Amino acid sequence: MRRLTSNLIFTAGLIVGFLSLRFLLYCFSQEQLTNFGRDYRREAEYGSLHQHRGKKRSPATNSSNTVRVLCWIMTGPKNLESRTKHIRETWGKRCNKVLYMSSVKTDFPTVELNVSEGRDNLYWKTIRAFQYIHQHHLDEADWFLKADDDTFVVVENLRYVLSKYDPEKPWYVGRRFTPFISQGYMSGGAGYVLSKEALRRFIKGFDTGQCTHFSTIEDMALGKCMETMKVKLADSRDVKGRQTFHSYPPGYYLIRQLPRPRPWYLIYEHYEPIEGPGCCSDFVVSFHYIYAVQLYALEYLTYHLRPYGYKHRFNPDEETEFNASM
């Protein structure tokens, strides 16, 4: 009898101890959740306060609602799997709207333009793409980026560059090349942007016959139309005079070189090119000839890799602007 009583007491003690432990763990977990929620809200509030407390505010809020960009990608049926789908999975989703322009309509989805594929039809594809956008999507954005299906774009940096300009003025933004057109033109591979007013003038140019398909060289031919329609070339360099749009991959620019004649890939530059680390802005907008694996690598380096404790080299909104007439 005494042994039975001892076993009952021992068992009861185990049950009470187990229940007490569960109660304590529950209380602890609830406190953790409460603290986590409080800390999360505090950090969010601090971040919001910190963002608005500065004496100077950037002209760009980096908000997708204030600088609306429609991105259209020049592509074709043979590139959907090897190139275009990787843009859709990386930087394409950061545009306010993205359209993939092709000669064939697919469930990708692509927009079918009434034009054949091939390099000789690139300018026709550009003309038809801008006509389609003007007809169907003009009011969905203020800026209209054309990019190839092997271009990488940092859309947030693009918005920052564009924030300095009024989209209701005739602006044309990109990497400025010099030959063939008096005022120059923007590199097609680096990507270029038309303001809403520039797009209207481009369409008007073809409606009135002031612009024509006079050349198969897409970016130069579009530049001629921009000049004819009195569209101004914007300076896309940063406050230190460094380029933001790039017609080639990073390796073409970042390696410091001994003094030499301009290499072939810098011959058309409007501004005096700089080779080495000073070539490129901290707020780069684009690189060209970037394929699938490189797209994901640049995506990671741009949005995820952060050296712990690193202080950014400069705040572009606190710098004195360089002489833009250079």
PDB file of all heavy atoms in Angstrom, residues 79-108:
ATOM      1  N   ASN A  79      15.137  33.578 -78.180  1.00  0.00           N
ATOM      2  CA  ASN A  79      15.824  34.033 -76.965  1.00  0.00           C
ATOM      3  C   ASN A  79      14.978  33.933 -75.704  1.00  0.00           C
ATOM      4  O   ASN A  79      15.466  34.266 -74.620  1.00  0.00           O
ATOM      5  CB  ASN A  79      16.277  35.492 -77.129  1.00  0.00           C
ATOM      6  CG  ASN A  79      17.394  35.645 -78.142  1.00  0.00           C
ATOM      7  OD1 ASN A  79      18.105  34.699 -78.443  1.00  0.00           O
ATOM      8  ND2 ASN A  79      17.541  36.845 -78.681  1.00  0.00           N
ATOM      9  N   LEU A  80      13.736  33.506 -75.817  1.00  0.00           N
ATOM     10  CA  LEU A  80      12.849  33.514 -74.646  1.00  0.00           C
ATOM     11  C   LEU A  80      13.386  32.632 -73.523  1.00  0.00           C
ATOM     12  O   LEU A  80      13.372  33.027 -72.350  1.00  0.00           O
ATOM     13  CB  LEU A  80      11.442  33.065 -75.044  1.00  0.00           C
ATOM     14  CG  LEU A  80      10.658  34.013 -75.951  1.00  0.00           C
ATOM     15  CD1 LEU A  80       9.256  33.457 -76.204  1.00  0.00           C
ATOM     16  CD2 LEU A  80      10.571  35.409 -75.362  1.00  0.00           C
ATOM     17  N   GLU A  81      13.854  31.437 -73.857  1.00  0.00           N
ATOM     18  CA  GLU A  81      14.341  30.512 -72.840  1.00  0.00           C
ATOM     19  C   GLU A  81      15.758  30.849 -72.386  1.00  0.00           C
ATOM     20  O   GLU A  81      16.081  30.745 -71.203  1.00  0.00           O
ATOM     21  CB  GLU A  81      14.298  29.072 -73.364  1.00  0.00           C
ATOM     22  CG  GLU A  81      12.909  28.473 -73.385  1.00  0.00           C
ATOM     23  CD  GLU A  81      12.310  28.350 -71.978  1.00  0.00           C
ATOM     24  OE1 GLU A  81      13.018  27.873 -71.068  1.00  0.00           O
ATOM     25  OE2 GLU A  81      11.146  28.736 -71.803  1.00  0.00           O
ATOM     26  N   SER A  82      16.605  31.242 -73.306  1.00  0.00           N
ATOM     27  CA  SER A  82      18.020  31.441 -72.978  1.00  0.00           C
ATOM     28  C   SER A  82      18.305  32.793 -72.349  1.00  0.00           C
ATOM     29  O   SER A  82      19.273  32.949 -71.603  1.00  0.00           O
ATOM     30  CB  SER A  82      18.875  31.278 -74.232  1.00  0.00           C
ATOM     31  OG  SER A  82      18.506  32.227 -75.218  1.00  0.00           O
ATOM     32  N   ARG A  83      17.474  33.797 -72.639  1.00  0.00           N
ATOM     33  CA  ARG A  83      17.742  35.149 -72.131  1.00  0.00           C
ATOM     34  C   ARG A  83      16.548  35.773 -71.413  1.00  0.00           C
ATOM     35  O   ARG A  83      16.633  36.152 -70.244  1.00  0.00           O
ATOM     36  CB  ARG A  83      18.145  36.077 -73.286  1.00  0.00           C
ATOM     37  CG  ARG A  83      19.398  35.681 -74.033  1.00  0.00           C
ATOM     38  CD  ARG A  83      19.719  36.756 -75.074  1.00  0.00           C
ATOM     39  NE  ARG A  83      20.807  36.378 -75.956  1.00  0.00           N
ATOM     40  CZ  ARG A  83      21.287  37.171 -76.912  1.00  0.00           C
ATOM     41  NH1 ARG A  83      20.759  38.359 -77.116  1.00  0.00           N
ATOM     42  NH2 ARG A  83      22.281  36.759 -77.673  1.00  0.00           N
ATOM     43  N   THR A  84      15.435  35.870 -72.136  1.00  0.00           N
ATOM     44  CA  THR A  84      14.358  36.743 -71.687  1.00  0.00           C
ATOM     45  C   THR A  84      13.725  36.296 -70.388  1.00  0.00           C
ATOM     46  O   THR A  84      13.371  37.130 -69.535  1.00  0.00           O
ATOM     47  CB  THR A  84      13.277  36.849 -72.788  1.00  0.00           C
ATOM     48  OG1 THR A  84      13.913  36.939 -74.066  1.00  0.00           O
ATOM     49  CG2 THR A  84      12.417  38.073 -72.572  1.00  0.00           C
ATOM     50  N   LYS A  85      13.572  35.001 -70.187  1.00  0.00           N
ATOM     51  CA  LYS A  85      12.934  34.540 -68.956  1.00  0.00           C
ATOM     52  C   LYS A  85      13.777  34.884 -67.733  1.00  0.00           C
ATOM     53  O   LYS A  85      13.252  35.047 -66.628  1.00  0.00           O
ATOM     54  CB  LYS A  85      12.650  33.042 -69.016  1.00  0.00           C
ATOM     55  CG  LYS A  85      13.829  32.133 -68.783  1.00  0.00           C
ATOM     56  CD  LYS A  85      13.357  30.677 -68.708  1.00  0.00           C
ATOM     57  CE  LYS A  85      14.502  29.744 -68.335  1.00  0.00           C
ATOM     58  NZ  LYS A  85      14.036  28.334 -68.254  1.00  0.00           N
ATOM     59  N   HIS A  86      15.075  35.054 -67.921  1.00  0.00           N
ATOM     60  CA  HIS A  86      15.953  35.397 -66.802  1.00  0.00           C
ATOM     61  C   HIS A  86      15.856  36.887 -66.460  1.00  0.00           C
ATOM     62  O   HIS A  86      16.049  37.265 -65.301  1.00  0.00           O
ATOM     63  CB  HIS A  86      17.382  34.986 -67.133  1.00  0.00           C
ATOM     64  CG  HIS A  86      17.500  33.539 -67.486  1.00  0.00           C
ATOM     65  ND1 HIS A  86      17.278  32.532 -66.569  1.00  0.00           N
ATOM     66  CD2 HIS A  86      17.760  32.919 -68.664  1.00  0.00           C
ATOM     67  CE1 HIS A  86      17.422  31.356 -67.158  1.00  0.00           C
ATOM     68  NE2 HIS A  86      17.714  31.569 -68.430  1.00  0.00           N
ATOM     69  N   ILE A  87      15.546  37.707 -67.446  1.00  0.00           N
ATOM     70  CA  ILE A  87      15.230  39.110 -67.142  1.00  0.00           C
ATOM     71  C   ILE A  87      13.937  39.174 -66.349  1.00  0.00           C
ATOM     72  O   ILE A  87      13.813  39.925 -65.371  1.00  0.00           O
ATOM     73  CB  ILE A  87      15.125  39.936 -68.440  1.00  0.00           C
ATOM     74  CG1 ILE A  87      16.511  40.146 -69.042  1.00  0.00           C
ATOM     75  CG2 ILE A  87      14.440  41.278 -68.178  1.00  0.00           C
ATOM     76  CD1 ILE A  87      16.521  40.926 -70.321  1.00  0.00           C
ATOM     77  N   ARG A  88      12.957  38.371 -66.736  1.00  0.00           N
ATOM     78  CA  ARG A  88      11.681  38.343 -66.014  1.00  0.00           C
ATOM     79  C   ARG A  88      11.881  37.933 -64.556  1.00  0.00           C
ATOM     80  O   ARG A  88      11.180  38.434 -63.668  1.00  0.00           O
ATOM     81  CB  ARG A  88      10.713  37.372 -66.706  1.00  0.00           C
ATOM     82  CG  ARG A  88       9.318  37.352 -66.093  1.00  0.00           C
ATOM     83  CD  ARG A  88       8.406  36.402 -66.857  1.00  0.00           C
ATOM     84  NE  ARG A  88       8.890  35.025 -66.797  1.00  0.00           N
ATOM     85  CZ  ARG A  88       8.328  34.001 -67.446  1.00  0.00           C
ATOM     86  NH1 ARG A  88       7.279  34.211 -68.219  1.00  0.00           N
ATOM     87  NH2 ARG A  88       8.830  32.776 -67.344  1.00  0.00           N
ATOM     88  N   GLU A  89      12.837  37.046 -64.294  1.00  0.00           N
ATOM     89  CA  GLU A  89      13.081  36.562 -62.944  1.00  0.00           C
ATOM     90  C   GLU A  89      13.981  37.480 -62.131  1.00  0.00           C
ATOM     91  O   GLU A  89      14.119  37.302 -60.926  1.00  0.00           O
ATOM     92  CB  GLU A  89      13.706  35.161 -62.995  1.00  0.00           C
ATOM     93  CG  GLU A  89      12.792  34.100 -63.572  1.00  0.00           C
ATOM     94  CD  GLU A  89      11.494  33.968 -62.796  1.00  0.00           C
ATOM     95  OE1 GLU A  89      11.541  33.975 -61.547  1.00  0.00           O
ATOM     96  OE2 GLU A  89      10.430  33.897 -63.439  1.00  0.00           O
ATOM     97  N   THR A  90      14.616  38.452 -62.775  1.00  0.00           N
ATOM     98  CA  THR A  90      15.535  39.341 -62.057  1.00  0.00           C
ATOM     99  C   THR A  90      15.028  40.776 -62.118  1.00  0.00           C
ATOM    100  O   THR A  90      14.053  41.127 -61.458  1.00  0.00           O
ATOM    101  CB  THR A  90      16.964  39.208 -62.610  1.00  0.00           C
ATOM    102  OG1 THR A  90      16.968  39.442 -64.039  1.00  0.00           O
ATOM    103  CG2 THR A  90      17.523  37.814 -62.348  1.00  0.00           C
ATOM    104  N   TRP A  91      15.653  41.626 -62.916  1.00  0.00           N
ATOM    105  CA  TRP A  91      15.354  43.050 -62.815  1.00  0.00           C
ATOM    106  C   TRP A  91      14.024  43.462 -63.445  1.00  0.00           C
ATOM    107  O   TRP A  91      13.471  44.503 -63.084  1.00  0.00           O
ATOM    108  CB  TRP A  91      16.501  43.864 -63.409  1.00  0.00           C
ATOM    109  CG  TRP A  91      16.699  43.733 -64.905  1.00  0.00           C
ATOM    110  CD1 TRP A  91      17.552  42.894 -65.544  1.00  0.00           C
ATOM    111  CD2 TRP A  91      16.060  44.513 -65.930  1.00  0.00           C
ATOM    112  NE1 TRP A  91      17.486  43.072 -66.913  1.00  0.00           N
ATOM    113  CE2 TRP A  91      16.577  44.062 -67.173  1.00  0.00           C
ATOM    114  CE3 TRP A  91      15.116  45.537 -65.928  1.00  0.00           C
ATOM    115  CZ2 TRP A  91      16.180  44.612 -68.384  1.00  0.00           C
ATOM    116  CZ3 TRP A  91      14.715  46.077 -67.137  1.00  0.00           C
ATOM    117  CH2 TRP A  91      15.242  45.618 -68.349  1.00  0.00           C
ATOM    118  N   GLY A  92      13.487  42.640 -64.342  1.00  0.00           N
ATOM    119  CA  GLY A  92      12.241  43.015 -65.015  1.00  0.00           C
ATOM    120  C   GLY A  92      11.083  43.252 -64.064  1.00  0.00           C
ATOM    121  O   GLY A  92      10.237  44.117 -64.294  1.00  0.00           O
ATOM    122  N   LYS A  93      11.050  42.504 -62.958  1.00  0.00           N
ATOM    123  CA  LYS A  93       9.934  42.620 -62.021  1.00  0.00           C
ATOM    124  C   LYS A  93       9.970  43.911 -61.213  1.00  0.00           C
ATOM    125  O   LYS A  93       9.012  44.208 -60.490  1.00  0.00           O
ATOM    126  CB  LYS A  93       9.903  41.412 -61.092  1.00  0.00           C
ATOM    127  CG  LYS A  93      11.167  41.194 -60.285  1.00  0.00           C
ATOM    128  CD  LYS A  93      11.160  39.824 -59.609  1.00  0.00           C
ATOM    129  CE  LYS A  93      12.476  39.549 -58.890  1.00  0.00           C
ATOM    130  NZ  LYS A  93      12.529  38.172 -58.367  1.00  0.00           N
ATOM    131  N   ARG A  94      11.048  44.682 -61.325  1.00  0.00           N
ATOM    132  CA  ARG A  94      11.135  45.931 -60.574  1.00  0.00           C
ATOM    133  C   ARG A  94      10.606  47.128 -61.353  1.00  0.00           C
ATOM    134  O   ARG A  94      10.501  48.223 -60.809  1.00  0.00           O
ATOM    135  CB  ARG A  94      12.586  46.174 -60.151  1.00  0.00           C
ATOM    136  CG  ARG A  94      13.076  45.123 -59.160  1.00  0.00           C
ATOM    137  CD  ARG A  94      14.484  45.407 -58.649  1.00  0.00           C
ATOM    138  NE  ARG A  94      14.802  44.478 -57.570  1.00  0.00           N
ATOM    139  CZ  ARG A  94      15.375  43.306 -57.735  1.00  0.00           C
ATOM    140  NH1 ARG A  94      15.673  42.896 -58.964  1.00  0.00           N
ATOM    141  NH2 ARG A  94      15.631  42.516 -56.708  1.00  0.00           N
ATOM    142  N   CYS A  95      10.303  46.937 -62.618  1.00  0.00           N
ATOM    143  CA  CYS A  95       9.675  48.003 -63.409  1.00  0.00           C
ATOM    144  C   CYS A  95       8.217  48.137 -63.000  1.00  0.00           C
ATOM    145  O   CYS A  95       7.601  47.182 -62.521  1.00  0.00           O
ATOM    146  CB  CYS A  95       9.754  47.671 -64.902  1.00  0.00           C
ATOM    147  SG  CYS A  95      11.437  47.361 -65.516  1.00  0.00           S
ATOM    148  N   ASN A  96       7.652  49.327 -63.204  1.00  0.00           N
ATOM    149  CA  ASN A  96       6.213  49.481 -62.941  1.00  0.00           C
ATOM    150  C   ASN A  96       5.392  48.638 -63.897  1.00  0.00           C
ATOM    151  O   ASN A  96       4.350  48.097 -63.525  1.00  0.00           O
ATOM    152  CB  ASN A  96       5.819  50.950 -63.063  1.00  0.00           C
ATOM    153  CG  ASN A  96       6.464  51.798 -61.987  1.00  0.00           C
ATOM    154  OD1 ASN A  96       7.566  52.299 -62.174  1.00  0.00           O
ATOM    155  ND2 ASN A  96       5.797  51.930 -60.852  1.00  0.00           N
ATOM    156  N   LYS A  97       5.874  48.535 -65.113  1.00  0.00           N
ATOM    157  CA  LYS A  97       5.247  47.654 -66.104  1.00  0.00           C
ATOM    158  C   LYS A  97       6.349  47.179 -67.032  1.00  0.00           C
ATOM    159  O   LYS A  97       7.261  47.942 -67.368  1.00  0.00           O
ATOM    160  CB  LYS A  97       4.158  48.378 -66.889  1.00  0.00           C
ATOM    161  CG  LYS A  97       3.364  47.438 -67.794  1.00  0.00           C
ATOM    162  CD  LYS A  97       2.190  48.141 -68.447  1.00  0.00           C
ATOM    163  CE  LYS A  97       1.307  47.138 -69.193  1.00  0.00           C
ATOM    164  NZ  LYS A  97       0.645  46.182 -68.307  1.00  0.00           N
ATOM    165  N   VAL A  98       6.280  45.919 -67.448  1.00  0.00           N
ATOM    166  CA  VAL A  98       7.279  45.395 -68.367  1.00  0.00           C
ATOM    167  C   VAL A  98       6.575  44.695 -69.519  1.00  0.00           C
ATOM    168  O   VAL A  98       5.596  43.970 -69.321  1.00  0.00           O
ATOM    169  CB  VAL A  98       8.259  44.443 -67.641  1.00  0.00           C
ATOM    170  CG1 VAL A  98       7.535  43.256 -67.030  1.00  0.00           C
ATOM    171  CG2 VAL A  98       9.377  43.990 -68.571  1.00  0.00           C
ATOM    172  N   LEU A  99       7.061  44.954 -70.730  1.00  0.00           N
ATOM    173  CA  LEU A  99       6.517  44.356 -71.944  1.00  0.00           C
ATOM    174  C   LEU A  99       7.663  43.704 -72.714  1.00  0.00           C
ATOM    175  O   LEU A  99       8.749  44.283 -72.834  1.00  0.00           O
ATOM    176  CB  LEU A  99       5.855  45.413 -72.831  1.00  0.00           C
ATOM    177  CG  LEU A  99       4.667  46.175 -72.233  1.00  0.00           C
ATOM    178  CD1 LEU A  99       4.269  47.330 -73.150  1.00  0.00           C
ATOM    179  CD2 LEU A  99       3.486  45.242 -72.005  1.00  0.00           C
ATOM    180  N   TYR A 100       7.399  42.516 -73.237  1.00  0.00           N
ATOM    181  CA  TYR A 100       8.399  41.790 -74.011  1.00  0.00           C
ATOM    182  C   TYR A 100       7.960  41.808 -75.476  1.00  0.00           C
ATOM    183  O   TYR A 100       6.970  41.191 -75.843  1.00  0.00           O
ATOM    184  CB  TYR A 100       8.538  40.360 -73.483  1.00  0.00           C
ATOM    185  CG  TYR A 100       8.968  40.344 -72.029  1.00  0.00           C
ATOM    186  CD1 TYR A 100       8.025  40.231 -71.010  1.00  0.00           C
ATOM    187  CD2 TYR A 100      10.307  40.474 -71.681  1.00  0.00           C
ATOM    188  CE1 TYR A 100       8.418  40.243 -69.677  1.00  0.00           C
ATOM    189  CE2 TYR A 100      10.704  40.478 -70.354  1.00  0.00           C
ATOM    190  CZ  TYR A 100       9.754  40.365 -69.352  1.00  0.00           C
ATOM    191  OH  TYR A 100      10.132  40.379 -68.024  1.00  0.00           O
ATOM    192  N   MET A 101       8.721  42.546 -76.293  1.00  0.00           N
ATOM    193  CA  MET A 101       8.347  42.787 -77.686  1.00  0.00           C
ATOM    194  C   MET A 101       9.020  41.781 -78.607  1.00  0.00           C
ATOM    195  O   MET A 101      10.244  41.634 -78.603  1.00  0.00           O
ATOM    196  CB  MET A 101       8.742  44.205 -78.098  1.00  0.00           C
ATOM    197  CG  MET A 101       8.088  45.298 -77.265  1.00  0.00           C
ATOM    198  SD  MET A 101       6.273  45.335 -77.468  1.00  0.00           S
ATOM    199  CE  MET A 101       5.882  46.880 -76.654  1.00  0.00           C
ATOM    200  N   SER A 102       8.208  41.092 -79.408  1.00  0.00           N
ATOM    201  CA  SER A 102       8.710  40.050 -80.295  1.00  0.00           C
ATOM    202  C   SER A 102       7.947  40.111 -81.618  1.00  0.00           C
ATOM    203  O   SER A 102       7.078  40.969 -81.818  1.00  0.00           O
ATOM    204  CB  SER A 102       8.538  38.679 -79.620  1.00  0.00           C
ATOM    205  OG  SER A 102       8.966  37.637 -80.457  1.00  0.00           O
ATOM    206  N   SER A 103       8.288  39.207 -82.509  1.00  0.00           N
ATOM    207  CA  SER A 103       7.551  39.102 -83.774  1.00  0.00           C
ATOM    208  C   SER A 103       6.398  38.112 -83.664  1.00  0.00           C
ATOM    209  O   SER A 103       5.592  37.984 -84.589  1.00  0.00           O
ATOM    210  CB  SER A 103       8.500  38.654 -84.889  1.00  0.00           C
ATOM    211  OG  SER A 103       9.090  37.404 -84.547  1.00  0.00           O
ATOM    212  N   VAL A 104       6.324  37.420 -82.524  1.00  0.00           N
ATOM    213  CA  VAL A 104       5.319  36.375 -82.326  1.00  0.00           C
ATOM    214  C   VAL A 104       4.672  36.546 -80.956  1.00  0.00           C
ATOM    215  O   VAL A 104       5.363  36.788 -79.960  1.00  0.00           O
ATOM    216  CB  VAL A 104       5.961  34.969 -82.416  1.00  0.00           C
ATOM    217  CG1 VAL A 104       4.923  33.887 -82.177  1.00  0.00           C
ATOM    218  CG2 VAL A 104       6.635  34.772 -83.775  1.00  0.00           C
ATOM    219  N   LYS A 105       3.364  36.387 -80.890  1.00  0.00           N
ATOM    220  CA  LYS A 105       2.666  36.423 -79.611  1.00  0.00           C
ATOM    221  C   LYS A 105       2.740  35.049 -78.954  1.00  0.00           C
ATOM    222  O   LYS A 105       2.477  34.028 -79.584  1.00  0.00           O
ATOM    223  CB  LYS A 105       1.201  36.809 -79.816  1.00  0.00           C
ATOM    224  CG  LYS A 105       0.414  36.957 -78.518  1.00  0.00           C
ATOM    225  CD  LYS A 105      -1.008  37.421 -78.792  1.00  0.00           C
ATOM    226  CE  LYS A 105      -1.783  37.580 -77.489  1.00  0.00           C
ATOM    227  NZ  LYS A 105      -3.164  38.064 -77.729  1.00  0.00           N
ATOM    228  N   THR A 106       3.125  35.022 -77.688  1.00  0.00           N
ATOM    229  CA  THR A 106       3.211  33.760 -76.950  1.00  0.00           C
ATOM    230  C   THR A 106       2.612  33.947 -75.557  1.00  0.00           C
ATOM    231  O   THR A 106       2.316  35.063 -75.140  1.00  0.00           O
ATOM    232  CB  THR A 106       4.680  33.296 -76.798  1.00  0.00           C
ATOM    233  OG1 THR A 106       5.362  34.206 -75.911  1.00  0.00           O
ATOM    234  CG2 THR A 106       5.388  33.259 -78.138  1.00  0.00           C
ATOM    235  N   ASP A 107       2.494  32.836 -74.842  1.00  0.00           N
ATOM    236  CA  ASP A 107       2.002  32.880 -73.466  1.00  0.00           C
ATOM    237  C   ASP A 107       3.075  33.296 -72.480  1.00  0.00           C
ATOM    238  O   ASP A 107       2.841  33.299 -71.270  1.00  0.00           O
ATOM    239  CB  ASP A 107       1.458  31.500 -73.058  1.00  0.00           C
ATOM    240  CG  ASP A 107       0.215  31.122 -73.848  1.00  0.00           C
ATOM    241  OD1 ASP A 107      -0.490  32.048 -74.293  1.00  0.00           O
ATOM    242  OD2 ASP A 107      -0.037  29.918 -74.031  1.00  0.00           O
ATOM    243  N   PHE A 108       4.244  33.668 -72.972  1.00  0.00           N
ATOM    244  CA  PHE A 108       5.357  34.035 -72.079  1.00  0.00           C
ATOM    245  C   PHE A 108       4.982  35.051 -71.015  1.00  0.00           C
ATOM    246  O   PHE A 108       5.366  34.831 -69.845  1.00  0.00           O
ATOM    247  CB  PHE A 108       6.530  34.522 -72.935  1.00  0.00           C
ATOM    248  CG  PHE A 108       7.730  34.929 -72.126  1.00  0.00           C
ATOM    249  CD1 PHE A 108       8.640  33.991 -71.673  1.00  0.00           C
ATOM    250  CD2 PHE A 108       7.952  36.258 -71.799  1.00  0.00           C
ATOM    251  CE1 PHE A 108       9.748  34.363 -70.919  1.00  0.00           C
ATOM    252  CE2 PHE A 108       9.059  36.646 -71.053  1.00  0.00           C
ATOM    253  CZ  PHE A 108       9.961  35.693 -70.619  1.00  0.00           C
TER     254      PHE A 108
END
